[in-house]
Amino acid sequence: MSKLFSPLKIRNVVFKNRIAVSPMCQYSAVDGFPGEWHFVHYGSRAVAGTGLIIQEATAVSPEGRISYGDLGIWTDDQLVAYKKLTNYISSHNCIPGIQLAHAGRKASATKGWEEARSLSKEEGAWKTYAPSAIAFSDKYSAPDEMSEDDIKKIVVDFKQASLRAVLAGYKTIELHFAHGYLVHEFLSPLSNLRIDKYGVSFENRCRLALEITRAVRSVIADVVPLFVRLSCTDWVEGGWNINDSVRLAKLLKEEGVDLIDCSSGGNISSAKIPIAPGYQVPFASQIKKEAEMLTCAVGLITKAAQAEEIISENKADIVLLGREMLRNPYWSLNAAKELNVDAEYPLQYLRAK
């Protein structure tokens, strides 16, 4: 029997299988609102047998957007559009999840298919914030160093965004603490040079992550699973690493986090990442074992047999597919066929089963 297609229960939510769509920015929102593109993009993957969809990085404030095209959830006015989306995803026995994010020093930038750089003043650039006034690269503007009042606002923004997410019908929330965005910038000693209570020591650099997590868990129902995406290493000597991630995972678990989504990189522009099929799976396996937590594996997972092996060998509890899901929205149904699983098809597609 396939382990990949076995159900998984986290708190009161049951995922019909262990396959999830990884959060991937579409850069197609207008003023943070989703549109027809998002409805088709996410709806097609819900129809196609996926157990969980984690919506792309959704900004908790306007200034937290990577680009003008990012989704946002900073105002109640945005909830109506999201309710339509979550209702449709849920109607196909797929769990709608959302990734809440703040881009930090990588905000106010171009869209993903353009040259990666900060926007110019003429293009409508906005002020960016980070733990320290260090630019991501020579193509990015230097951010303002955040005051403690700025940091307190970030915690409130995440808290309010998570409450809106639940009201909008999202059944799983993921906090984006990875890929060189704001919280990751605080975690890494390479981007955090503060000397106050948010810098220097491991405990201080983790403070914002724990404050946000605590605030979010305080306002979402106990039945709502809470995930955290971590960059498990900076891939640079002296930076954040897998051992730090294990330590943080244990602390996050105490604050009510249920699962760690194990990615890597994104904080140091010059990092050399040894990309290969399944290259981040060992991070998920180590955190699962040493922190005794559920984990997601992500990163060049493309084949059904590969995903099955990850789950069956207990290296992770969910596999996240990103680019492969862009190429093939119906990956889940194709994987079921390859693994001889009698998967649920939409009635409209039964003739193709």
Side-chain angles (χ1 to χ4, degrees), residues 177-179 183-191 202 205-206 229-250 252 260-268 271 280 282-284 286-287 290-291:
F177 293 173
H179 297 169
V183 178
H184 185 185
E185 293 162 16
F186 272 87
L187 294 174
S188 174
L190 300 179
S191 49
F202 171 85
R205 287 183 282 111
C206 291
R229 171 165 273 193
L230 293 179
S231 279
C232 295
T233 177
D234 282 336
W235 296 110
V236 176
E237 186 176 353
W240 185 262
N241 59 49
I242 180 58
N243 293 326
D244 294 328
S245 295
V246 171
R247 289 178 66 188
L248 177 57
K250 292 177 180 179
L252 291 168
I260 302 297
D261 175 356
C262 301
S263 190
S264 69
N267 192 41
I268 305 301
Q280 295 173 147
F283 300 141
Q286 185 172 342
I287 288 178
E290 295 183 14

Side-chain angles (χ1 to χ4, degrees), residues 4 301-312 331 335 338-339:
L4 182 65
I301 299 169
T302 60
K303 307 296 184 183
Q306 177 191 14
E308 177 69 31
E309 179 186 34
I310 290 168
I311 302 301
S312 62
W331 189 93
E338 287 185 37
L339 297 172

Side-chain angles (χ1 to χ4, degrees), residues 39-72:
F39 195 85
V40 172
H41 171 67
Y42 291 115
S44 62
R45 286 148 183 84
V47 164
T50 306
L52 165 67
I53 292 173
I54 304 179
Q55 182 176 294
E56 65 200 81
T58 305
V60 299
S61 63
E63 63 273 14
R65 291 174 295 171
I66 304 167
S67 77
Y68 274 118
D70 285 27
L71 289 177

Side-chain angles (χ1 to χ4, degrees), residues 63-64 102-108 126-137 140-152 154 180-188 190-196 198-199 205 208 267:
E63 63 273 14
H102 190 295
R105 67 180 180 174
K106 294 172 79 173
S108 188
W126 60 90
K127 186 177 291 187
T128 58
Y129 299 88
S132 301
I134 307 170
F136 173 61
S137 75
Y140 281 74
S141 302
D144 285 0
E145 180 171 313
M146 297 175 72
S147 67
E148 288 198 19
D149 284 342
D150 293 331
I151 293 172
K152 289 177 182 177
I154 292 295
Y181 298 124
L182 184 67
V183 178
H184 185 185
E185 293 162 16
F186 272 87
L187 294 174
S188 174
L190 300 179
S191 49
N192 183 352
L193 304 183
R194 301 176 72 94
I195 57 173
D196 63 1
Y198 289 96
R205 287 183 282 111
L208 177 59
N267 192 41

Side-chain angles (χ1 to χ4, degrees), residues 308-352:
E308 177 69 31
E309 179 186 34
I310 290 168
I311 302 301
S312 62
E313 294 188 1
N314 208 29
K315 296 176 181 177
D317 301 280
I318 294 174
V319 291
L320 284 163
L321 290 96
R323 290 172 176 82
E324 188 63 20
M325 279 287 186
L326 295 181
R327 290 186 285 265
N328 180 10
Y330 296 91
W331 189 93
S332 300
L333 294 181
N334 292 333
K337 186 174 182 179
E338 287 185 37
L339 297 172
N340 296 313
V341 172
D342 185 18
E344 177 185 2
Y345 270 58
L347 295 176
Q348 298 88 338
Y349 290 177
L350 276 178
R351 75 191 76 174

